[in-house]
Amino acid sequence: MSSASISFPFLGDWSINPSNSFVLFGHTFYWYGVIIACGFLLAVAYCFHRCREFGISQDDLTDNLLFAVPIAIIGARAYYVLFNLDNYHSFWDACKIWEGGLAIYGGVIAAVITVLVVCRVKKISPLAVLDTVSFGLLIGQSIGRWGNFMNREAYGYETDAFCRMGLTLNGETIYVHPTFLYESLWNAVGFVLLHVLSKKTKRKFDGQYFLYYLAWYGLGRSWIEGLRTDSLYIGGTGIRVSQLLAIMTFLASVIILVVVLRSGRCKPENLWVNKVSLAAAGEAETAEAEAPVQETEPSTPGTNVIQEMEDIVFGEQEDEELPEQENDGEQES
């Protein structure tokens, strides 16, 4: 289906047949990778813009990304290969990531583990970092799904639904669920909701937004995955591994949110950003107290400015004592 024409009947009687690659400066580039890269850059730009609101510096965020991104790609590939072993006959086959085959849940799991390790080394809050990157995950996944569109993949069962997508190959057309589009729109709505929520309300605890992300994405993926034709299954069972994981993450996230919010332990001083601000204020006070005091001579009121300028130019002159005149008691008439 990689060369099939694409159409959407609800948008009119037209179709497109975009290539899944292009040549630039003699090199072949795949739209799948380009679109994912664009989503990643936009996600990073947004997270850099807001990371200080969570007490995370851009340097700390960069350090996390430098380790988490490549490990997340490895995790996404390993997850896909692990549940699709019949299609890979050697280690080299498993490494051919450019041929497709990534699973977002594998990437998220690997990235979270990496963040935990990096934050432990740097002695910063991993939950604050995860809150920060939650926005980026929704941005990246929303945009990245259009790479599946270019590859004509990640679509669902045949349907006559209003929003169906047509795939035409060799004169034959099938209409399927555009599940890539469902997930892209679901993540876009999730990003808008999380963005607005973060601007209108205050966080109660570190990790809250990450739990919102897991709950929202899990809820959407749990029903979208059930429509797909390329799902990964657990062994020889009919259980879709990503659908099961989506349901579990949704339920676990909701339960943790309710328990923590009702625990009475959600205090502003426990937020990492407030701890960072308090520590910075303490350091500033200490530095100010330890700074040497410079003594200055008080200025004499009524000082003659012209006299001061003359003293600077000619040097200060000592007052000469005038000789006392002898007074013989005679007065001039």
Side-chain angles (χ1 to χ4, degrees):
M1 284 293 182
S2 61
S3 59
S5 297
I6 305 171
S7 61
F8 290 92
F10 72 95
L11 294 179
D13 186 18
W14 60 272
S15 64
I16 57 174
N17 188 11
S19 173
N20 59 7
S21 64
F22 62 95
V23 178
L24 183 64
F25 302 120
H27 298 280
T28 300
F29 296 89
Y30 291 90
W31 282 112
Y32 180 84
V34 172
I35 292 173
I36 288 180
C38 290
F40 171 75
L41 292 176
L42 286 175
V44 170
Y46 181 91
C47 292
F48 270 25
H49 176 67
R50 298 200 59 188
C51 63
R52 290 188 179 87
E53 298 176 29
F54 301 89
I56 304 300
S57 69
Q58 292 185 355
D59 288 341
D60 288 336
L61 184 59
T62 299
D63 290 340
N64 275 277
L65 291 174
L66 288 175
F67 288 96
V69 171
I71 294 177
I73 295 174
I74 296 173
R77 180 62 172 178
Y79 183 101
Y80 184 87
V81 172
L82 181 63
F83 292 101
N84 203 17
L85 287 175
D86 293 340
N87 293 336
Y88 300 96
H89 307 290
S90 67
F91 178 76
W92 176 242
D93 288 339
C95 293
K96 295 179 180 179
I97 195 171
W98 53 89
E99 294 183 354
L102 296 173
I104 184 61
Y105 267 125
V108 172
I109 293 171
V112 170
I113 295 174
T114 305
V115 167
L116 293 176
V117 174
V118 173
C119 289
R120 183 177 179 84
V121 173
K122 294 183 67 66
K123 297 181 180 180
I124 60 178
S125 171
L127 295 178
V129 173
L130 292 176
D131 274 344
T132 306
V133 301
S134 296
F135 301 90
L137 287 170
L138 289 168
I139 294 173
Q141 288 173 251
S142 180
I143 296 174
R145 278 302 176 191
W146 287 91
N148 299 130
F149 169 79
M150 299 300 292
N151 283 350
R152 286 77 156 174
E153 61 187 7
Y155 55 82
Y157 293 113
E158 293 188 41
T159 182
D160 58 356
F162 168 76
C163 56
R164 64 190 181 277
M165 177 178 69
L167 295 173
T168 303
L169 186 64
N170 299 326
E172 296 184 3
T173 301
I174 61 172
Y175 293 98
V176 298
H177 282 288
T179 49
F180 80 90
L181 177 61
Y182 298 163
E183 190 168 331
S184 177
L185 293 176
W186 182 266
N187 289 324
V189 172
F191 165 73
V192 172
L193 291 176
L194 193 60
H195 174 81
V196 173
L197 183 67
S198 68
K199 293 295 185 179
K200 298 294 184 181
T201 63
K202 295 182 179 180
R203 282 184 308 142
K204 302 296 184 181
F205 62 94
D206 290 320
Q208 183 177 353
Y209 290 168
F210 184 63
L211 289 173
Y212 284 154
Y213 158 75
L214 291 177
W216 179 262
Y217 183 73
L219 179 62
R221 188 65 183 266
S222 63
W223 65 270
I224 295 174
E225 187 68 23
L227 301 174
R228 291 177 58 167
T229 59
D230 59 346
S231 297
L232 301 175
Y233 293 89
I234 300 177
T237 69
I239 301 175
R240 302 169 188 259
V241 60
S242 292
Q243 187 176 39
L244 176 61
L245 189 55
I247 295 172
M248 292 174 61
T249 54
F250 168 72
L251 294 175
S253 300
V254 172
I255 292 172
I256 294 173
L257 279 167
V258 172
V259 171
V260 176
L261 289 174
R262 291 186 175 182
S263 65
R265 299 179 180 178
C266 301
K267 299 179 180 179
E269 59 267 24
N270 293 332
L271 285 172
W272 175 254
V273 62
N274 293 334
K275 291 180 180 180
V276 171
S277 299
L278 186 61
E283 291 177 359
E285 291 180 1
T286 302
E288 184 178 352
E290 294 178 351
V293 179
Q294 296 181 353
E295 296 182 357
T296 57
E297 295 182 359
S299 59
T300 304
T303 301
N304 190 322
V305 177
I306 296 177
Q307 182 63 47
E308 288 186 355
M309 294 179 65
E310 291 179 351
D311 290 342
I312 294 173
V313 176
F314 301 106
E316 295 184 1
Q317 297 179 356
E318 296 181 356
D319 294 337
E320 297 181 356
E321 296 183 359
L322 297 178
E324 296 182 0
Q325 297 181 355
E326 296 181 355
N327 188 356
D328 55 1
E330 297 181 358
Q331 295 181 355
E332 295 181 359
S333 58

